[in-house]
Amino acid sequence: PQSLRILAHLLAALLLSLLASVLGATVFRPDLSVLIVVFFALEHELLPGLLLAAAVGYLSDLFSGLGPGLDAATNVIVFLTLRVFVAQIAGGRFAMVSALGLVSTILALCVRQLIEALVGPGQADLQLALPAFPSVLLGALGLAYPVYRLFLALDRVVQPKKEFGYGARRRLGQKP
């Protein structure tokens, strides 16, 4: 069940990345990989979430054309930061998830610039990215919660229904 959940999340991340790449949004340009990492930080255990954040970052690296490993490293750092400061919050509310999406996007932008400054290859130029910042931030605010809800709905589809014991069925009025 857990491996099916992880596979479903990777497939959904790939499909979202493909969709964003095909649409080539010019006005509304969210950093989808970071928004997906917000879900992983809130809803996954540490190790599976960390591995998923790295894998989604790798997928993002494939579509971004920036330095290899840049988004993977950024997603891992964002995931760990969220886990340290947010931990496991049960049930994502709209305002909380949207705020986390915005903060995570800003953190990811800063981390990318820091990685580029320290190790190169110098492809993520801050001056070239400045015109896109408003759309990236608006995208984070507008899509953080829908992405979170999409992955929650996917969880409901792939996770098996919880079985009730004999006593629970009896209390619910069902026959044993």
Side-chain angles (χ1 to χ4, degrees), residues 15-94:
L15 291 174
L16 281 176
S17 297
L18 281 171
L19 181 65
S21 177
V22 167
L23 293 178
T26 55
V27 177
F28 200 58
R29 193 180 314 189
D31 188 344
L32 286 175
S33 71
V34 172
L35 301 180
I36 294 168
V37 168
V38 169
F39 172 81
F40 295 156
L42 292 174
E43 301 295 333
H44 275 275
E45 296 296 322
L46 181 63
L47 188 58
L50 186 64
L51 295 174
L52 280 167
V56 168
Y58 179 73
L59 288 174
S60 180
D61 282 330
L62 293 176
F63 290 102
S64 73
L66 295 175
L70 182 61
D71 283 342
T74 299
N75 282 359
V76 166
I77 292 169
V78 168
F79 175 82
L80 291 173
T81 303
L82 285 175
R83 288 298 296 231
V84 166
F85 290 107
V86 177
Q88 288 281 76
I89 297 176
R93 302 272 189 242
F94 174 78

Side-chain angles (χ1 to χ4, degrees), residues 65-144:
L66 295 175
L70 182 61
D71 283 342
T74 299
N75 282 359
V76 166
I77 292 169
V78 168
F79 175 82
L80 291 173
T81 303
L82 285 175
R83 288 298 296 231
V84 166
F85 290 107
V86 177
Q88 288 281 76
I89 297 176
R93 302 272 189 242
F94 174 78
M96 181 199 65
V97 172
S98 296
L100 284 175
L102 181 64
V103 169
S104 297
T105 298
I106 293 169
L107 176 63
L109 292 170
C110 294
V111 167
R112 278 190 198 103
Q113 293 304 314
L114 183 63
I115 290 172
E116 284 283 314
L118 294 175
V119 296
Q123 293 178 342
D125 186 12
L126 185 60
Q127 293 300 325
L128 293 174
L130 279 177
F133 278 178
S135 66
V136 171
L137 298 179
L138 284 174
L141 274 176
L143 287 179

